[in-house]
Amino acid sequence: MAGTQQTDVVISKGRFEAFSDGVFAIAITLLVLELHPPDLTIPTNATLVSALLAMWPEFLVYWGSFATIGIIWFNHYALFHNARRITYAALITNLLLLSFVCFIPFTTLLIAREGLIPVATAFYGLVLLLMSACFNVLFYVMMLTPGERGSFLGFLRKRNLWNSLGPAVYAGGSLLAFASPLASILLFAAMAVFYLLPGTVKGTLDATGGSSTST
Amino acid sequence: MAGTQQTDVVISKGRFEAFSDGVFAIAITLLVLELHPPDLTIPTNATLVSALLAMWPEFLVYWGSFATIGIIWFNHYALFHNARRITYAALITNLLLLSFVCFIPFTTLLIAREGLIPVATAFYGLVLLLMSACFNVLFYVMMLTPGERGSFLGFLRKRNLWNSLGPAVYAGGSLLAFASPLASILLFAAMAVFYLLPGTVKGTLDATGGSSTST
Amino acid sequence: MAGTQQTDVVISKGRFEAFSDGVFAIAITLLVLELHPPDLTIPTNATLVSALLAMWPEFLVYWGSFATIGIIWFNHYALFHNARRITYAALITNLLLLSFVCFIPFTTLLIAREGLIPVATAFYGLVLLLMSACFNVLFYVMMLTPGERGSFLGFLRKRNLWNSLGPAVYAGGSLLAFASPLASILLFAAMAVFYLLPGTVKGTLDATGGSSTST
Amino acid sequence: MAGTQQTDVVISKGRFEAFSDGVFAIAITLLVLELHPPDLTIPTNATLVSALLAMWPEFLVYWGSFATIGIIWFNHYALFHNARRITYAALITNLLLLSFVCFIPFTTLLIAREGLIPVATAFYGLVLLLMSACFNVLFYVMMLTPGERGSFLGFLRKRNLWNSLGPAVYAGGSLLAFASPLASILLFAAMAVFYLLPGTVKGTLDATGGSSTST
């Protein structure tokens, strides 16, 4: 219920969830627009099969980005679930968070277009880094009471550790891209899968009180 | 009310429906983006008419895909209608289901671009197969009580048989594509029309309790 | 309250409005994607001004289509406002209606691409004709009681006459396109403006009971 | 509560917010579709870095437009928050407002495509001018009682002055574009940032009663 203990309450949350849900839903659906069927002069079964197989990196980033936006949406849901009102800080942080979420289709297309080269992959990771950083700030302003805000350790204790580590992992993955883009993209995909594991999901719900029975 | 008998209840459903509705609505609307007006050097009535008539396969897959997403949305509505909470398994399965729904505009464009060749049509059917498989799993985890889950026959008995047959029909249609892509695509369209028939709709509502009066 | 007097009630309306709103909102927003800035080799103020001025037919169809989707959405709102449940017939008709609404961005692009030639304009009108025909059927199944359904005159009396005339006007406009595409497109735009007039809006609300105070 | 003092009440607001939220969410998400990854013949780290750096004006307008749509959405939220019903004038003004909001991705692409030349920037500002003008009219019809409507000074006093100045600033920025497009675009971005400042947000909430506790 920490979300309701904000002192500088300004805005009620109904339309903020609706607007955010819309943006998440559109961003996740736009990912498919970045997938372009191969342009074959004479499409045959053989050429099309090989062309589709050659698209595996694009399919990998499609499901990787889909899982990433899906899980950040779920975290957003858990964070807003018990909040009654949105503070000014949360309003601004949420808008910034959404601007990075909406940016993911671009970085996804960047990899699909340019291939798995270091800079494209690092740029992809940079946006994930900024997105998860915004999310941690959003958690900070929405879930912590003014009293708790002082100590960073208290922040880590209250927050389920894994999500706090998100920015660190995304930063590391971005650097890793210059050694091996494929290893980097697999790390990002693994991070999404990890966030989808029962334990992490439960941890998120416990940290935010999202598993409460109120609807 | 089976949806409320889940033991590992974790999440309340409000935003899950909103998010899913958004994804369904966007995926179904994006289909039109795959339709490109003919690029005519000198557009005349004659050339445009023949060009539009030549687009009949694209129009067929547009309405076929529209009906398919429309009916899967309706099944999704019926399934979630009486559910009070979303379990972890339902959360993951729902995300996976949506990732295949969002993929349909791509496979639709694939056929529009490459024409009705076997591989393109089979790939189109493969995504429908995975989508309907996900839906059956979603039904399994949301509608069956732990007690009922044991017997597969009990599953078929509880589930209205037709929807359970979906994966089988889509698998068969994908294989049929290598014999006759047109027959295959007509089978997929027929399946969508079939799911829109009063009997099937009523069967779905009965199986899910979706026709209950609660809103 | 006629909407609640349906005998074959099957579905509650909450998510049907949400899904339909999503489709309307996306279709109306996709219109702008059909507007492509001029591709100028050396963009200068002079060349850009003339290029933008040359786009006037595209801007005209953009606002024309925007007003058309906007007003059909409003009619949809008024129709569903007092309905408590959705019948099977309404479910199917609504899906078909949405498939034509989603098709408008394509016909809008068709005119933008091919120019105001008869066939493109007539095709644009044909889709409006099918859309407004679906809407009248939807009104018929949702607002009329089984008793009222018999007489077509009773239908016209209950329905505010103007909306019933929609199909006729769109059919006439489609034929007019072969004489003068510009006159035809102006008629479609005028129809949208007409539907936005206070009298027509009030008539729609009265016919559907949409101005009731229930939310 | 002025929103509820309208005399010519016609429509309840639920779906108007949902529809508007959808349009805002889609328009803000479509902005990313205007960002096209550089088309590099042989993508290397060096060429990609320089190509991405060269895209800075596009990234600037992306976040500028994102902030602009985000803040106009927030103002829309605040304005509708306490309104119980939508008058005819508000219905029409809202549709017109949305048509300009949806137009922003086009003007954003125009600058991205043609570069920061005066006409493109002025056209970008013109749409912002029309959008903020519509918003002020919407505020006028929704928040002022018939009694208050007479005096323009009373309008300015009731309305938080800053938002009323929006049209003036956007008009000035459009003219400024002919002297310096960059200064003009920075002014538009600054305006968005300014509207996101705590004081302005609070002013908007006070002017509309949006910070009330009702949800």
Side-chain angles (χ1 to χ4, degrees), chain D residues 44-56:
Chain D
T44 68
N45 290 336
T47 54
L48 185 51
V49 166
S50 54
L52 286 174
L53 290 178
M55 286 179 70
W56 71 265

Side-chain angles (χ1 to χ4, degrees), chain A residues 32-33 35-37, chain B residues 27-36 55-69 100-117 120-125 127-128 185 188:
Chain A
V32 77
L33 288 186
L35 295 176
H36 300 296
Chain B
I28 208 168
T29 317
L30 288 184
L31 291 171
V32 77
L33 288 186
E34 316 301 10
L35 295 176
H36 301 294
M55 287 179 70
W56 72 264
E58 304 189 37
F59 293 138
L60 175 64
V61 287
Y62 169 76
W63 265 284
S65 298
F66 198 98
T68 304
I69 296 181
F100 291 121
V101 170
C102 290
F103 208 73
I104 291 179
F106 172 77
T107 51
T108 303
L109 179 56
L110 193 68
I111 290 179
R113 181 83 55 90
E114 321 294 354
L116 278 175
I117 64 175
T121 313
F123 193 68
Y124 181 88
V127 171
L128 294 183
I185 206 75
F188 297 144

Side-chain angles (χ1 to χ4, degrees), chain A residues 9-16 18-19 22-24 26-27 30 33-34 84-85 88 91-92 95-96 98-106 109-110 113-115 117-120 123 178, chain D residues 17 20-21 24-26 28-29 32-33 35-40 43-45 48-49 52 55 59 62-63 66 70-71 73-74 76-77 80-81 196-198 201 205 210-211 213-215:
Chain A
V9 166
V10 285
I11 311 149
S12 54
K13 80 175 183 179
R15 282 183 66 184
F16 277 77
F19 177 70
V23 171
F24 279 114
I26 298 151
L30 288 185
L33 288 186
E34 317 300 11
R84 301 282 309 285
R85 304 227 179 324
Y88 169 76
L91 160 68
I92 301 300
L95 263 183
L96 200 59
L98 292 178
S99 77
F100 291 121
V101 170
C102 290
F103 207 73
I104 290 179
F106 172 76
L109 179 57
L110 193 68
R113 181 85 53 91
E114 320 292 354
I117 64 176
V119 169
F123 193 67
F178 292 98
Chain D
E17 289 188 335
S20 302
D21 281 341
F24 279 114
I26 297 151
I28 208 169
T29 316
V32 77
L33 288 186
L35 294 176
H36 300 295
D39 245 331
L40 304 172
T44 68
N45 290 336
L48 185 51
V49 166
L52 286 174
M55 286 179 70
F59 293 138
Y62 169 76
W63 265 283
F66 199 98
I71 197 60
W73 168 80
F74 170 72
H76 191 275
Y77 152 82
F80 277 63
H81 182 69
L196 290 168
L197 295 178
V201 167
L205 290 170
S211 56
T213 62
S214 63
T215 307

Side-chain angles (χ1 to χ4, degrees), chain A residues 1 4 13-14 17 21 73 77-85 205 209-215, chain B residues 4 9-18 80-86 215, chain C residues 15, chain D residues 215:
Chain A
M1 291 298 156
T4 65
K13 80 175 183 179
E17 290 189 335
D21 281 341
W73 168 80
Y77 152 82
L79 191 52
F80 276 63
H81 183 69
N82 284 341
R84 301 282 309 285
R85 304 227 179 324
L205 290 170
S211 57
S212 104
T213 62
S214 62
T215 307
Chain B
T4 63
V9 166
V10 285
I11 312 148
S12 55
K13 79 175 184 180
R15 281 183 67 185
F16 277 77
E17 290 189 334
F80 277 62
H81 183 70
N82 285 340
R84 299 282 308 286
R85 304 227 178 322
I86 310 299
T215 305
Chain C
R15 283 184 66 185
Chain D
T215 307

Side-chain angles (χ1 to χ4, degrees), chain A residues 11-98:
Chain A
I11 311 149
S12 54
K13 80 175 183 179
R15 282 183 66 184
F16 277 77
E17 290 189 335
F19 177 70
S20 302
D21 281 341
V23 171
F24 279 114
I26 298 151
I28 209 169
T29 317
L30 288 185
L31 291 170
V32 77
L33 288 186
E34 317 300 11
L35 295 176
H36 300 296
D39 245 332
L40 305 171
T41 42
I42 317 109
T44 67
N45 291 333
T47 55
L48 185 52
V49 165
S50 53
L52 286 174
L53 290 177
M55 285 179 71
W56 71 265
E58 303 189 38
F59 293 137
L60 174 64
V61 287
Y62 169 76
W63 265 283
S65 299
F66 199 98
T68 303
I69 296 181
I71 198 61
I72 191 73
W73 168 80
F74 171 73
N75 279 266
H76 191 275
Y77 152 82
L79 191 52
F80 276 63
H81 183 69
N82 284 341
R84 301 282 309 285
R85 304 227 179 324
I86 311 299
T87 64
Y88 169 76
L91 160 68
I92 301 300
T93 314
N94 191 44
L95 263 183
L96 200 59
L97 170 67
L98 292 178

